[in-house]
Amino acid sequence: VLPKDAAPRLRAAPHALSAPPTGAGGARAWYGRMVLPPKEAVIPASLSENRKTFGTLRAIMVEATLGGVEDPEAMSLGCSAPDLRPTHRELSACEAGTIFCWNRCMNTTEDRGVWYGVSDEICAEQGKQLQCTDVRGHIYNSSYDRHGDYNPNCVAPGAPHVNSDFPTLPGYPTDPEVCNQEAWDAFSATDGFEFSTALGPRGKLMWNVVEGEGGPAIESKMAYNGLFGYTSWGLRNNALGAGKNGMQGAWVAMALPGDDYTLTGDTQPEPRAASSCEQRLFHL
């Protein structure tokens, strides 16, 4: 809100948001755009006898932060009430049974349906310490990376903090002398297949309908030029009541580039075994 003598004649753009109610256990995400108001704009929520501008509030916030002063009004969130304020300053001390991890206090035993099963006592029995770590066992470091897969974990004293990215996957980046356009064209050729379709710009699926032991069967080949954790395709389950648009109860062919590998300490990923292709039944 600008002072009347400085306020231009502006029309607020109509806007609204409507969404169905969120069910039990559900979650909702929203997106907003932050705008820095002019310094002379008056905060609508301020009392008429104590009206403040955004510029005044910003100055108070800076002074309170640098001086370590706990001023509820200065640390309020935006132009909301003083009880709605940033919590990252207050989460450094979490309740018993929780640990500050991934920008919030996480329960060390079970958190939001994920079982961790650790505590200060359990870690102490192992001669370790309770920390918030990534999958490598590196301790959470908000100054390097505030996002990622972190969880409560028992680690040895002196475990390193997160200060580097994950090591690259085996064989990546690829050798251009081995993996190039000519090699890809030869590998993904559809010769010998009656049907084929593109799977985006990097993949191809090709197949034939053949006679199997119990009737018609599908003979197929799927090729992909890039990194992947698995590739699969299947036939829709047309049985009455099949959930997930026919995915539940459907048989799929799944190909894996190799066995699982682990990331521990600063070591490179363990080599993966030979690739495999198996038939699976979709249950989820």
Side-chain angles (χ1 to χ4, degrees):
V1 180
L2 291 172
K4 290 184 178 180
D5 56 351
R9 298 180 62 84
L10 299 176
R11 176 180 178 274
H15 61 281
L17 172 66
S18 60
T22 302
R28 175 175 294 159
W30 59 272
Y31 167 81
R33 182 177 181 180
M34 294 184 292
V35 178
L36 184 64
K39 290 192 291 186
E40 65 271 18
V42 178
I43 301 174
S46 62
L47 300 176
S48 58
E49 65 272 14
N50 189 28
R51 295 171 66 83
K52 288 186 174 66
T53 64
F54 282 94
T56 301
L57 181 61
R58 283 199 292 269
I60 295 175
M61 291 178 65
V62 171
E63 182 179 357
T65 302
L66 296 179
V69 178
E70 291 295 337
D71 186 339
E73 182 181 25
M75 298 311 297
S76 61
L77 186 60
C79 54
S80 59
D83 59 337
L84 297 177
R85 54 190 184 277
T87 58
H88 70 276
R89 290 162 53 92
E90 304 168 24
L91 289 179
S92 57
C94 296
E95 297 180 358
T98 66
I99 184 175
F100 183 70
C101 190
W102 207 351
N103 305 315
R104 64 183 178 88
C105 290
M106 295 181 65
N107 192 298
T108 62
T109 304
E110 183 272 338
D111 189 88
R112 300 185 181 181
V114 180
W115 176 260
Y116 298 117
V118 295
S119 66
D120 286 307
E121 294 75 17
I122 293 175
C123 295
E125 291 176 358
Q126 303 173 12
K128 298 181 178 180
Q129 298 174 340
L130 178 63
Q131 296 283 0
C132 172
T133 73
D134 63 9
V135 296
R136 297 175 294 180
H138 290 190
I139 301 173
Y140 174 74
N141 178 9
S142 61
S143 63
Y144 182 84
D145 180 18
R146 296 182 63 88
H147 186 69
D149 189 7
Y150 295 97
N151 59 269
N153 191 19
C154 295
V155 296
H161 286 72
V162 175
N163 57 14
S164 63
D165 295 330
F166 287 105
T168 58
L169 295 171
Y172 183 83
T174 57
D175 184 351
E177 296 295 327
V178 177
C179 293
N180 48 45
Q181 188 62 45
E182 182 180 358
W184 164 247
D185 291 340
F187 178 73
S188 62
T190 60
D191 299 341
F193 291 93
E194 184 178 359
F195 307 98
S196 65
T197 185
L199 302 176
R202 290 176 170 265
K204 292 182 183 179
L205 175 65
M206 54 208 82
W207 70 95
N208 292 321
V209 180
V210 299
E211 282 298 324
E213 295 182 0
I218 301 295
E219 174 188 63
S220 71
K221 173 183 175 181
M222 180 183 290
Y224 185 76
N225 185 16
L227 294 174
F228 66 93
Y230 72 90
T231 60
S232 69
W233 71 272
L235 299 177
R236 176 177 176 174
N237 180 11
N238 290 319
L240 184 65
K244 301 291 180 69
N245 198 27
M247 293 177 63
Q248 290 182 333
W251 286 99
V252 299
M254 175 179 288
L256 303 175
D259 290 337
D260 293 337
Y261 64 88
T262 59
L263 289 164
T264 56
D266 291 315
T267 61
Q268 291 292 320
E270 297 175 1
R272 305 190 102 178
S275 58
S276 62
C277 184
E278 301 175 357
Q279 181 175 270
R280 303 287 181 92
L281 182 63
F282 201 97
H283 293 286
L284 300 178

